[in-house]
Amino acid sequence: MNRYKLEFTKERDDKIIKEICSRYDVQWSSVLSKNRVRVVVDARRLYCGILRNVFGLTFQEIGDILNKNHATIVHSIKVHDNFVRILKSYKKNYEEIENMFYISENYYEHEVLSVERKMDILSKRLNNLIEQKNEYKLKIKKQKNGRQELCSK
Protein backbone atom coordinates (compact mmCIF):
# COMPACT_ATOMS: atom_id res chain seq x y z
CA MET A 1 0.00 0.00 0.00
CA ASN A 2 1.31 3.43 -0.88
CA ARG A 3 0.30 5.67 1.96
CA TYR A 4 2.09 8.60 3.42
CA LYS A 5 4.44 7.95 6.31
CA LEU A 6 3.23 8.30 9.87
CA GLU A 7 5.14 9.93 12.69
CA PHE A 8 7.02 7.35 14.77
CA THR A 9 6.06 7.80 18.42
CA LYS A 10 6.70 5.85 21.61
CA GLU A 11 3.00 4.95 21.83
CA ARG A 12 2.97 3.56 18.31
CA ASP A 13 6.22 1.68 18.90
CA ASP A 14 4.79 0.08 22.05
CA LYS A 15 1.66 -0.91 20.13
CA ILE A 16 3.74 -2.59 17.39
CA ILE A 17 5.94 -4.40 19.89
CA LYS A 18 2.94 -5.69 21.85
CA GLU A 19 1.19 -6.87 18.68
CA ILE A 20 4.26 -8.61 17.20
CA CYS A 21 5.09 -10.33 20.50
CA SER A 22 1.55 -11.64 20.84
CA ARG A 23 1.32 -12.82 17.22
CA TYR A 24 4.66 -14.62 17.30
CA ASP A 25 4.50 -15.61 20.99
CA VAL A 26 7.97 -14.22 21.71
CA GLN A 27 9.48 -11.95 24.33
CA TRP A 28 10.68 -8.58 23.06
CA SER A 29 14.06 -9.20 24.68
CA SER A 30 14.59 -12.19 22.37
CA VAL A 31 13.73 -10.04 19.32
CA LEU A 32 16.40 -7.55 20.43
CA SER A 33 18.91 -10.35 21.06
CA LYS A 34 21.10 -12.15 18.53
CA ASN A 35 18.70 -15.10 18.62
CA ARG A 36 18.37 -16.76 15.17
CA VAL A 37 15.39 -19.00 15.85
CA ARG A 38 13.00 -18.71 12.90
CA VAL A 39 10.04 -17.27 14.81
CA VAL A 40 12.25 -14.60 16.42
CA VAL A 41 13.84 -13.68 13.10
CA ASP A 42 10.39 -13.41 11.49
CA ALA A 43 9.19 -11.13 14.30
CA ARG A 44 12.31 -8.95 13.97
CA ARG A 45 11.94 -8.82 10.19
CA LEU A 46 8.27 -7.83 10.44
CA TYR A 47 9.17 -5.07 12.90
CA CYS A 48 11.83 -3.76 10.49
CA GLY A 49 9.35 -3.80 7.61
CA ILE A 50 6.75 -1.86 9.57
CA LEU A 51 9.24 0.76 10.75
CA ARG A 52 10.53 1.22 7.20
CA ASN A 53 7.28 1.12 5.23
CA VAL A 54 4.77 2.66 7.64
CA PHE A 55 6.96 5.20 9.43
CA GLY A 56 9.68 5.81 6.84
CA LEU A 57 12.58 5.29 9.23
CA THR A 58 16.03 4.99 7.68
CA PHE A 59 18.02 1.77 7.78
CA GLN A 60 20.39 3.38 10.28
CA GLU A 61 17.53 4.49 12.56
CA ILE A 62 16.04 0.99 12.54
CA GLY A 63 19.48 -0.48 13.14
CA ASP A 64 19.98 1.82 16.14
CA ILE A 65 16.65 0.72 17.63
CA LEU A 66 17.46 -2.99 17.21
CA ASN A 67 21.20 -2.62 17.87
CA LYS A 68 22.01 -4.03 14.43
CA ASN A 69 24.18 -2.83 11.56
CA HIS A 70 22.32 -0.91 8.85
CA ALA A 71 23.39 -3.52 6.26
CA THR A 72 21.61 -6.18 8.32
CA ILE A 73 18.48 -4.03 8.19
CA VAL A 74 18.80 -3.58 4.41
CA HIS A 75 18.90 -7.35 4.02
CA SER A 76 16.00 -7.78 6.44
CA ILE A 77 13.85 -5.31 4.48
CA LYS A 78 14.62 -7.07 1.19
CA VAL A 79 13.59 -10.42 2.66
CA HIS A 80 10.53 -8.77 4.24
CA ASP A 81 9.41 -7.43 0.86
CA ASN A 82 9.84 -10.88 -0.68
CA PHE A 83 7.92 -12.55 2.16
CA VAL A 84 5.05 -10.06 1.79
CA ARG A 85 4.88 -10.94 -1.91
CA ILE A 86 5.16 -14.70 -1.46
CA LEU A 87 3.95 -15.86 1.98
CA LYS A 88 0.25 -15.35 2.65
CA SER A 89 0.47 -15.75 6.44
CA TYR A 90 3.36 -13.28 6.70
CA LYS A 91 1.56 -10.81 4.43
CA LYS A 92 -1.59 -11.14 6.54
CA ASN A 93 0.33 -10.36 9.74
CA TYR A 94 2.03 -7.39 8.11
CA GLU A 95 -1.15 -5.90 6.63
CA GLU A 96 -3.16 -6.36 9.83
CA ILE A 97 -0.53 -4.54 11.89
CA GLU A 98 -0.12 -1.87 9.21
CA ASN A 99 -3.88 -1.30 9.10
CA MET A 100 -4.00 -0.88 12.88
CA PHE A 101 -2.44 2.53 12.31
CA TYR A 102 -4.35 3.61 9.23
CA ILE A 103 -7.79 2.40 10.29
CA SER A 104 -7.74 2.93 14.04
CA GLU A 105 -9.85 5.66 15.58
CA ASN A 106 -6.71 7.34 16.94
CA TYR A 107 -5.13 7.62 13.49
CA TYR A 108 -6.50 11.06 12.77
CA GLU A 109 -5.88 12.25 16.33
CA HIS A 110 -2.18 11.40 15.99
CA GLU A 111 -2.03 13.17 12.66
CA VAL A 112 -3.78 16.27 14.01
CA LEU A 113 -1.35 16.36 16.95
CA SER A 114 1.57 15.96 14.57
CA VAL A 115 0.36 18.83 12.40
CA GLU A 116 -0.27 21.01 15.47
CA ARG A 117 3.29 20.38 16.73
CA LYS A 118 4.68 21.35 13.34
CA MET A 119 2.48 24.46 13.27
CA ASP A 120 3.76 25.50 16.72
CA ILE A 121 7.34 25.13 15.53
CA LEU A 122 6.60 27.16 12.41
CA SER A 123 4.76 29.80 14.43
CA LYS A 124 7.74 30.23 16.77
CA ARG A 125 10.08 30.43 13.79
CA LEU A 126 7.83 33.03 12.13
CA ASN A 127 7.74 35.13 15.30
CA ASN A 128 11.55 34.99 15.52
CA LEU A 129 11.84 36.12 11.90
CA ILE A 130 9.40 39.00 12.48
CA GLU A 131 11.44 40.11 15.51
CA GLN A 132 14.64 39.95 13.43
CA LYS A 133 13.01 41.98 10.66
CA ASN A 134 11.88 44.64 13.13
CA GLU A 135 15.37 44.82 14.65
CA TYR A 136 16.90 45.33 11.20
CA LYS A 137 14.33 48.00 10.37
CA LEU A 138 15.19 49.79 13.62
CA LYS A 139 18.92 49.59 12.81
CA ILE A 140 18.28 50.96 9.32
CA LYS A 141 16.20 53.79 10.76
CA LYS A 142 18.98 54.64 13.25
CA GLN A 143 21.55 54.59 10.43
CA LYS A 144 19.43 56.93 8.31
CA ASN A 145 18.92 59.29 11.24
CA GLY A 146 22.68 59.27 11.92
CA ARG A 147 23.42 60.12 8.27
CA GLN A 148 20.86 62.92 8.25
CA GLU A 149 22.46 64.43 11.36
CA LEU A 150 25.89 64.30 9.72
CA CYS A 151 24.59 65.90 6.51
CA SER A 152 22.80 68.69 8.38
CA LYS A 153 25.94 69.74 10.28
Side-chain angles (χ1 to χ4, degrees), residues 52-77:
R52 179 72 177 169
N53 298 331
V54 176
F55 299 102
L57 269 58
T58 65
F59 298 122
Q60 187 61 53
E61 289 169 333
I62 298 169
D64 291 344
I65 292 169
L66 291 172
N67 197 26
K68 305 283 184 210
N69 186 292
H70 80 280
T72 303
I73 305 303
V74 171
H75 173 72
S76 185
I77 297 296

Side-chain angles (χ1 to χ4, degrees), residues 38 82-92:
R38 174 69 185 244
N82 286 334
F83 276 24
V84 167
R85 257 186 319 106
I86 296 167
L87 299 175
K88 289 180 183 177
S89 62
Y90 187 89
K91 180 179 181 175
K92 180 178 180 260

Side-chain angles (χ1 to χ4, degrees), residues 23-76:
R23 284 175 187 263
Y24 285 92
D25 193 30
V26 294
Q27 296 294 317
W28 187 244
S29 58
S30 64
V31 174
L32 293 175
S33 71
K34 293 184 178 191
N35 193 327
R36 290 171 51 178
V37 173
R38 174 69 185 244
V39 70
V40 174
V41 173
D42 283 349
R44 189 181 304 128
R45 181 182 308 113
L46 182 61
Y47 182 72
C48 291
I50 290 169
L51 294 186
R52 179 72 177 169
N53 298 331
V54 176
F55 299 102
L57 269 58
T58 65
F59 298 122
Q60 187 61 53
E61 289 169 333
I62 298 169
D64 291 344
I65 292 169
L66 291 172
N67 197 26
K68 305 283 184 210
N69 186 292
H70 80 280
T72 303
I73 305 303
V74 171
H75 173 72
S76 185

Side-chain angles (χ1 to χ4, degrees), residues 28-29 32 43-45 54 56 84 95 98-99 111 113 116 124 128 149 151:
W28 187 244
S29 58
L32 293 175
R44 189 181 304 128
R45 181 182 308 113
V54 176
V84 167
E95 288 179 346
E98 178 188 46
N99 286 333
E111 296 315 301
L113 290 173
E116 285 175 347
K124 289 175 185 174
N128 288 339
E149 288 176 11
C151 292

Side-chain angles (χ1 to χ4, degrees), residues 143-153:
Q143 270 185 339
K144 285 182 180 178
N145 288 340
R147 285 187 193 149
Q148 287 174 354
E149 288 176 11
L150 287 175
C151 292
S152 64
K153 288 184 182 179

Side-chain angles (χ1 to χ4, degrees), residues 133-143 145:
K133 179 190 83 165
N134 291 335
E135 288 174 11
Y136 288 134
K137 280 185 171 183
L138 188 63
K139 287 179 182 179
I140 291 170
K141 189 175 182 179
K142 285 180 182 178
Q143 270 185 339
N145 288 340

